[in-house]
Amino acid sequence: MKRSLPPPLMLSFSTPLRPQSHALMGLALDHAVNTPPGDVPVGAIVLDERGEVIGRGVNRREADADPLAHAEMLAIRQALGKTGDGWRFSRCTLVVTLEPCAMCAGAIMGARMGRLVFGAFEPKTGACGSALDVVRDPLALHTMEVIGGVRERECAALMEEFFRGLRG
């Protein structure tokens, strides 16, 4: 089902995203429930400048036996060609429930994503400010707006429940 944002949440690069980030994370959280059993529950969505969801992804590493099948990578792949600028997403926003790892942060930068919104911080592997900061490296050729910790408790609860089930 294609979901779009209601008019008050239309994305605009002329205004800050912070007031809208809570609602946007809700879309990613809603999608995270589609993660296959056995995979870490992470949901990611790519929105175009009008606020239309053009890409979705959930972690599928275990389900697909693919180390590249992270939610962010799959959402970006699904969004390819839907912006009119090929692989460049400079007017798009990626929303993901967990801080991206180094691989995903590099892909986000390579895709020239305009904005990144993430939920739970990942102190061991997070590459957007926790363990590393790939997206704000002063030598990076691309810059983007980054908002972390959005609905952090809800996003972290997904991880805690998953890992409690593994250990339980």
Side-chain angles (χ1 to χ4, degrees):
M1 177 173 93
K2 185 177 179 182
R3 287 181 66 174
S4 60
L5 298 174
L9 295 174
M10 293 298 283
L11 299 179
S12 168
F13 275 81
S14 62
T15 58
L17 184 63
R18 288 189 190 280
Q20 302 164 347
S21 61
H22 191 270
L24 295 174
M25 187 57 69
L27 296 175
L29 281 162
D30 288 348
H31 189 56
V33 301
N34 296 315
T35 304
D39 274 293
V40 177
V42 177
I45 58 171
V46 177
L47 300 108
D48 67 13
E49 63 185 303
R50 296 177 318 277
E52 295 289 325
V53 176
I54 59 171
R56 302 174 197 273
V58 294
N59 273 353
R60 298 189 53 85
R61 289 189 319 170
E62 299 300 327
D64 295 351
D66 180 354
L68 305 178
H70 288 209
E72 303 93 323
M73 304 289 272
L74 298 176
I76 290 169
R77 186 172 292 140
Q78 190 179 82
L80 287 171
K82 296 181 181 175
T83 65
D85 196 12
W87 56 268
R88 292 171 190 85
F89 294 94
S90 60
R91 309 273 309 155
C92 295
T93 302
L94 175 69
V95 183
V96 60
T97 57
L98 184 66
E99 179 181 2
C101 68
M103 175 183 70
C104 292
I108 293 164
M109 294 292 286
R112 306 296 192 264
M113 195 65 62
R115 293 192 276 213
L116 168 65
V117 177
F118 68 87
F121 286 89
E122 174 43 80
K124 293 181 181 177
T125 62
C128 299
S130 290
L132 300 168
D133 202 348
V134 172
V135 297
R136 288 179 285 249
D137 187 299
L139 298 176
L141 299 175
H142 174 69
T143 59
M144 74 179 89
E145 180 181 1
V146 179
I147 303 170
V150 176
R151 295 176 73 166
E152 184 174 9
R153 283 190 189 148
E154 291 170 79
C155 294
L158 288 174
M159 302 294 111
E160 292 163 4
E161 184 178 331
F162 175 78
F163 286 108
R164 187 172 30 255
L166 288 180
R167 295 179 190 115

